[in-house]
Amino acid sequence: MSLTLTVDGPRWRAHLERVADDHPGLVPVAKGNGYGFGLARLARKAQWLVDRGHDVPALAVGTYEELPDVATRWHGDLLVLTPWRPWVALPDPAIGKRLIHTVSRLDDLKALLHADPTARIVLERMTSMRRHGMAARELWEAGELLRKHPGARVEGLALHLPLAAGGHYGEVTQLITDAVGADLPALSTVWVSHLTDAELARLGTEYADFTIRPRIGTALWLGDRDALTVSATVLDVHEIARGEHYGYRGRSAPKDGHLLVVSGGTAHGIGLEAPTGDHSLKARAATIARGGLDAAGLVRSPYSIDGKQRLFAEPPHMQASMLFLPGGAHVPAVGDEIEVRVRYTATAFDRVVLTD
Ligand SMILES: *Cc1c(COP(=O)(O)O)cnc(C)c1O
């Protein structure tokens, strides 16, 4: 009776192993809602990859707050992607030894070395993303500072690139060259995000004396969409005649048909409008001309019945949504499962079911 993510286990695991095989030094990213699967499950799966003999040296989380969710399920090193700031308390020493901090400002480097002179550190370099990172000059100063703290461990350079596929190779090599010029102690590893496979391969050959660690989330966990199905349960079905009122807003039915109450609402991240669809003015004008239901103010939902995306009868509720099914359509029964299209990274599923 819920919003369910069903995972074809063998297919999903085969995909995870393929990605790990193709990306030696893979650093799986487990953050946020765990890409729909949950952080704990991703941590266990990352550990499973190691147990299967894959080269997975670290697991990355987004924030310090996420560490407890993964630290007992994954046994290797842990990288926090959000740069450390002086107000972030250093975690439990049990985690501490496995923890690699991302540091993106000189002041933070000073404060962290003061708080923990043996900290393990990845220095983040500013990229064309313009999110976090040090300029070339700051890296140089960081190098000076780190040479005075021989207890600290430089675990590498971090580069977070924009999503646009391809075209970042020149930028990456320039940034690595800068870092080499900054003479950082023991710099031998580069942690990269969002490089194409071809760029990673080229980097691996041209910078053979560096260890490349690709940080991958989406393409790993969500890279084989055919392994994933999202479904909602039909919780109730009511016949309704044109003009009859329904819902929180006392709206009147635009036609004869059925109201369907289905699981999934705002608490799950079900939004008012479907994530895909033609919202162009031309398309809207065409529906209005046809006297279509969305001309009556009904909005397309992400729920499909018989392969057709259906309309919300009104905006989604907290845990359920009301759909309007016009007369003539096949009416599902209470208890039936219907398909839903969601953004995995923005959806809180009630259940994740892995098939064997
Ligand atoms: C989220 C994140 C990633 C992973 O991104 P995907 O697009 O999910 O692969 C990699 N690097 C950094 C710094 C991130 O914040």
Side-chain angles (χ1 to χ4, degrees):
M1 307 301 106
S2 36
L3 190 70
T4 306
L5 169 61
T6 305
V7 185
D8 176 338
R11 186 170 175 147
W12 191 52
R13 286 190 292 270
H15 168 75
L16 300 182
E17 292 209 84
R18 208 159 40 241
V19 175
D21 278 338
D22 292 347
H23 302 89
L26 169 70
V27 177
V29 175
K31 67 183 179 186
N33 72 339
Y35 292 80
F37 301 92
L39 295 173
R41 181 173 280 101
L42 298 190
R44 281 196 301 269
K45 272 291 167 283
Q47 185 59 48
W48 172 81
L49 284 172
V50 171
D51 298 344
R52 298 274 295 177
H54 297 281
D55 174 17
V56 180
L59 178 71
V61 294
T63 64
Y64 286 82
E65 287 78 2
E66 290 167 342
L67 287 169
D69 290 325
V70 302
T72 55
R73 294 161 174 114
W74 160 261
H75 306 306
D77 285 346
L78 290 156
L79 171 74
V80 182
L81 296 169
T82 303
W84 185 79
R85 294 286 187 256
W87 60 81
V88 175
L90 293 177
D92 192 310
I95 292 183
K97 298 232 181 314
R98 297 158 60 197
L99 185 62
I100 302 172
H101 304 274
T102 299
V103 178
S104 71
R105 304 185 311 168
L106 264 182
D107 284 349
D108 297 336
L109 182 62
K110 286 176 199 154
L112 180 57
L113 291 173
H114 181 74
D116 179 4
T118 64
R120 302 173 67 186
I121 293 164
V122 161
L123 292 170
E124 179 151 17
R125 173 71 163 91
M126 181 60 84
T127 70
S128 55
M129 261 292 274
R130 283 304 191 115
R131 192 155 87 171
H132 304 295
M134 295 188 192
R137 232 187 70 85
E138 289 172 294
L139 271 193
W140 197 82
E141 285 183 51
E144 295 234 297
L145 194 62
L146 283 159
R147 273 189 293 279
K148 291 182 199 142
H149 288 82
R153 269 168 64 186
V154 177
E155 299 280 349
L157 180 74
L159 304 175
H160 187 197
L161 294 148
L163 275 171
H168 293 302
Y169 195 76
E171 180 179 355
V172 168
T173 53
Q174 183 59 54
L175 295 175
I176 296 176
T177 306
D178 288 354
V180 171
D183 198 19
L184 296 164
L187 179 69
S188 61
T189 303
V190 184
W191 308 65
V192 290
S193 308
H194 301 142
L195 284 188
T196 63
D197 286 359
E199 288 171 330
L200 282 171
R202 194 168 157 200
L203 206 57
T205 23
E206 289 184 12
Y207 289 81
D209 42 346
F210 277 87
T211 303
I212 308 298
R213 294 201 169 159
R215 302 177 294 188
I216 306 179
T218 307
L220 175 65
W221 311 118
L222 298 172
D224 184 359
R225 295 296 163 104
D226 290 340
L228 313 173
T229 327
V230 180
S231 59
T233 312
V234 176
L235 302 172
D236 230 329
V237 180
H238 312 291
E239 222 178 321
I240 193 160
R242 180 192 160 99
E244 278 186 327
H245 294 277
Y246 67 85
Y248 277 131
R249 288 142 212 250
R251 200 167 205 164
S252 66
K255 287 186 178 181
D256 291 352
H258 287 83
L259 283 177
L260 254 57
V261 185
V262 296
S263 53
T266 54
H268 301 88
I270 297 288
L272 184 57
E273 290 194 54
T276 55
D278 190 350
H279 297 293
S280 69
L281 272 178
K282 202 172 148 202
R284 293 193 65 83
T287 14
I288 290 167
R290 281 200 313 274
L293 285 168
D294 42 356
L298 299 193
V299 168
R300 198 133 66 123
S301 83
Y303 296 88
S304 309
I305 297 168
D306 290 337
K308 232 181 124 171
Q309 251 179 297
R310 300 298 172 173
L311 300 171
F312 278 124
E314 71 168 355
H317 302 172
M318 178 95 90
Q319 292 178 309
S321 294
M322 282 181 112
L323 309 180
F324 180 77
L325 205 56
H330 161 73
V331 184
V334 171
D336 281 0
E337 294 285 307
I338 64 172
E339 228 184 283
V340 200
R341 287 162 77 155
V342 297
R343 276 181 67 183
Y344 294 90
T345 52
T347 306
F349 296 102
D350 294 310
R351 294 194 309 153
V352 179
V353 178
L354 254 104
T355 65
D356 299 327

